[in-house]
Amino acid sequence: MYLIGYDIGSSSIKAALVEAESGKTVAVCQYPDSEMDIISRQSGWAEQQPEVWWDNVRSATQRLLEKTKVKAAAITAIGISYQMHGLVLVDKDHHVLRPSIIWCDSRAVQIGAQAFESIGKSQCLNHLLNSPGNFTASKLKWVKDNEPDLYERIYKALLPGDYIALKMTDQARTSISGLSEGMMWDFKENKLATFLLDHYSIDSDLIPEIVGTVGDQGALTKNAADFLGLAEGTSVAYRAGDQPNNAMSLNVLNPGEIAATGGTSGVVYGVVDRPVVDESTRVNPFAHVNYTQENPSIGVLLCVNGAGIQYSWMKQMLARENTTYEDIERMISSVEVNSDGLRIIPFGNGAERILANENIGAHIINLQFNRHGKAHFYRAALEGIAYSFIYGMEIMKSIGIEVNVIKVGNDNLFQSEVFSTTIANLLGCEIEMLDTTGAVGAAKAAGVGSGIYQSFKEAFQKVSPVKVYESSQSNGVYESGYQSWKKDLEKILA
């Protein structure tokens, strides 16, 4: 008996197969091998074609089945993790009406800011725990204002994971966790945030049926099963945004626990058992995967848009063909901490929430043509991303969130010794690397949702660290570099 999990990212689609009884990961595959295209028709815009996600889900599934030789009939449940804050619009026949406005798109920043002011800061923070901001509801308002004819054809407004589940089950559904990430859940009233939808003149009928994050979310239709190569009737038993899902995959479910990831964007995610808010809305609370009215588990998310995308851009621009990230890491070892004075501000991927939605772009500072080479650029890039994490964690600490141990997956930026050591030294804490991924976590959560496991604790009990990064006693040099970087940032923001 097996479980399959999908991670619908903006870079690629990952699929994982887990043996239910042992909890062991059989295999993880992704598709495509290179990053998926992001459409940017105007500055600050970012869109993707949902149909491409669905095609790539099939390709990733086929790779997984071919690699493992597992029969489709042996797979009992499906879990879905997905890129947060996106907007997918479908008509009554479930056809996509326009490209998805994805998480790093900045077009709705002003719409959310105006709503925050008009509705009132107090009501928004008390009910949404956030400003309406540049989230899904505000993106839907942008469509209403700028594409009115298309808006009239909308049957349902979906998050990316809702769309994939729709393609699988032919049922338009969403979850409280999902609605909270789109600013469409009222925590105080424990219902749909109709006050914001009414302010935007958005019909609440556009919001899909609400189901649990974990549990029965429909079954694979014959058409979907034939398309994917899976068995008709397979249970879809879980869906959640990638960052709550990543935290769950790392067994971060309780107050005081911290998860982090360094993919296209960088994220730190801390769990609390009570509503908390950042008055400046630079970090954002959402309903965690185990949120219920009786157990109001809240995940506080710090997001840095300009993270892995900056590092991959640097590699694409500077590296020779066939150069790997491992090759780059070896090059970096020739450069001292702080990159011989070269500093990089990495915020070049749209509006940044930790900068109060400012879109300042990326900056290269103190470049010396006679001193700095490729290795300096690579190290300064990693250090700049690490410093942006620290800058955001200072905000999290200011609202009472403790950072004692950080748990990360065995992928993306945290595989870099330079990146991880920089963060560990600046925070004075351990970073535990666990051998799991978001797709594996989604598969195990589907096991909870389908009743194979009785709890998250049972599903993730065997997840243990494969590596630990520790802080050293020579962290003064790291602190000096961070303070110089922070002064540069503050000058840009002034």
Side-chain angles (χ1 to χ4, degrees):
M1 185 163 53
Y2 296 89
L3 306 163
I4 192 168
Y6 295 99
D7 187 358
I8 314 300
S10 52
S11 298
S12 67
I13 307 299
K14 295 183 178 69
L17 199 65
V18 171
E19 186 183 48
E21 184 176 357
S22 67
K24 292 182 178 179
T25 302
V26 179
V28 179
C29 294
Q30 76 171 47
Y31 192 90
D33 297 320
S34 57
E35 294 185 359
M36 290 188 290
D37 290 337
I38 293 178
I39 306 162
S40 184
R41 294 181 289 168
Q42 293 189 34
S43 177
W45 287 23
E47 300 178 340
Q48 289 186 317
Q49 298 287 2
E51 299 95 337
V52 172
W53 302 337
W54 182 234
D55 287 341
N56 290 344
V57 167
R58 174 175 62 176
S59 297
T61 304
Q62 290 172 344
R63 280 190 173 182
L64 194 65
L65 296 179
E66 288 169 5
K67 183 176 182 178
T68 63
K69 308 303 181 185
V70 168
K71 301 296 184 183
I75 299 172
T76 60
I78 297 168
I80 303 167
S81 167
Y82 60 88
Q83 52 173 297
M84 298 171 70
H85 314 310
L87 174 66
V88 181
L89 303 174
V90 298
D91 64 17
K92 62 181 181 179
D93 296 317
H94 298 173
H95 296 146
V96 174
L97 292 171
R98 68 173 328 280
S100 172
I101 303 175
I102 65 171
W103 58 275
C104 55
D105 187 289
S106 304
R107 76 186 70 185
V109 168
Q110 193 57 38
I111 290 172
Q114 289 174 347
F116 196 35
E117 181 178 344
S118 298
I119 294 171
K121 183 175 181 178
S122 176
Q123 181 168 355
C124 288
L125 294 180
N126 285 334
H127 291 259
L128 302 174
L129 308 185
N130 295 282
S131 161
N134 186 41
F135 295 107
T136 310
S138 299
K139 291 169 181 172
L140 181 55
K141 170 63 171 172
W142 183 92
V143 173
K144 179 178 175 62
D145 290 347
N146 293 274
E147 299 173 347
D149 291 341
L150 184 147
Y151 180 85
E152 291 301 319
R153 297 166 55 202
I154 298 171
Y155 170 63
K156 295 296 178 185
L158 308 170
L159 295 159
D162 300 334
Y163 170 74
I164 296 300
L166 171 69
K167 295 295 290 183
M168 289 180 174
T169 66
D170 204 33
Q171 294 178 305
R173 292 173 164 180
T174 192
S175 67
I176 290 175
S177 180
L179 290 172
S180 76
E181 77 184 58
M183 296 303 108
M184 293 181 282
W185 185 252
D186 187 327
F187 285 92
K188 192 169 185 178
E189 301 296 332
N190 199 42
K191 68 181 185 66
L192 191 67
T194 50
F195 74 91
L196 178 61
L197 297 179
D198 290 346
H199 177 80
Y200 283 159
S201 299
I202 291 171
D203 190 339
S204 60
D205 286 345
L206 298 185
I207 308 305
E209 175 191 358
I210 302 171
V211 295
T213 299
V214 183
D216 180 19
Q217 301 187 12
L220 212 58
T221 65
K222 184 179 188 307
N223 285 341
D226 291 345
F227 181 81
L228 296 175
L230 297 176
E232 181 182 0
T234 305
S235 171
V236 178
Y238 168 81
R239 83 183 77 178
D242 51 9
Q243 299 311 325
N245 177 79
N246 179 66
M248 175 207 65
S249 304
L250 296 167
N251 206 17
V252 171
L253 294 161
N254 302 306
E257 297 174 339
I258 301 290
T261 185
T264 303
S265 63
V267 169
V268 178
Y269 188 97
V271 178
V272 293
D273 59 0
R274 67 195 187 284
V276 296
V277 297
D278 169 32
E279 294 289 332
S280 300
T281 68
R282 296 161 297 175
V283 296
N284 304 106
F286 305 113
H288 197 25
V289 296
N290 56 345
Y291 175 90
T292 62
Q293 190 173 9
E294 298 73 30
N295 174 40
S297 183
I298 304 292
V300 180
L301 186 148
L302 148 71
C303 182
V304 179
N305 284 350
I309 192 170
Q310 180 218 212
Y311 197 45
S312 64
W313 181 90
M314 191 78 68
K315 176 177 179 287
Q316 183 180 358
M317 293 297 108
L318 297 182
R320 294 179 179 177
E321 189 176 357
N322 298 323
T323 299
T324 66
Y325 286 112
E326 290 78 11
D327 296 331
I328 293 173
E329 188 81 6
R330 285 190 289 271
M331 290 176 62
I332 291 172
S333 65
S334 66
V335 178
E336 295 292 331
V337 175
N338 296 329
S339 307
D340 199 13
L342 181 65
R343 295 185 294 277
I344 295 179
I345 306 291
F347 304 118
N349 194 29
E352 291 284 357
R353 271 173 263 162
I354 63 170
L355 305 180
N357 279 324
E358 289 288 328
N359 187 355
I360 65 171
H363 297 255
I364 298 172
I365 297 166
N366 199 34
L367 171 61
Q368 304 291 324
F369 298 127
N370 295 322
R371 292 163 56 193
H372 298 137
K374 288 182 181 180
H376 292 88
F377 271 91
Y378 292 136
R379 179 163 200 128
L382 283 176
E383 288 176 337
I385 300 165
Y387 294 156
S388 67
F389 272 57
I390 301 301
Y391 185 83
M393 287 187 208
E394 289 179 347
I395 298 170
M396 296 180 76
K397 287 182 178 181
S398 73
I399 62 172
I401 296 175
E402 295 185 6
V403 183
N404 297 320
V405 177
I406 299 175
K407 298 181 181 181
V408 303
N410 187 14
D411 58 2
N412 297 324
L413 287 173
F414 282 98
Q415 290 180 320
S416 165
E417 185 92 19
V418 169
F419 179 75
S420 298
T421 300
T422 299
I423 292 177
N425 275 290
L426 284 166
L427 289 176
C429 73
E430 290 185 348
I431 297 177
E432 295 182 355
M433 178 178 286
L434 293 87
D435 192 14
T436 188
T437 68
V440 170
K444 291 184 176 181
V448 179
S450 60
I452 294 172
Y453 305 127
Q454 297 306 304
S455 66
F456 285 120
K457 182 178 180 180
E458 180 184 348
F460 295 98
Q461 62 183 340
K462 296 180 181 178
V463 178
S464 58
V466 295
K467 187 172 185 177
V468 177
Y469 296 102
E470 297 180 335
S471 62
S472 69
Q473 294 186 358
S474 59
N475 60 1
V477 66
Y478 291 93
E479 183 64 27
S480 173
Y482 172 61
Q483 291 303 328
S484 295
W485 180 93
K486 188 176 178 181
K487 287 178 182 177
D488 292 332
L489 175 62
E490 289 171 346
K491 288 178 183 177
I492 295 167
L493 292 171

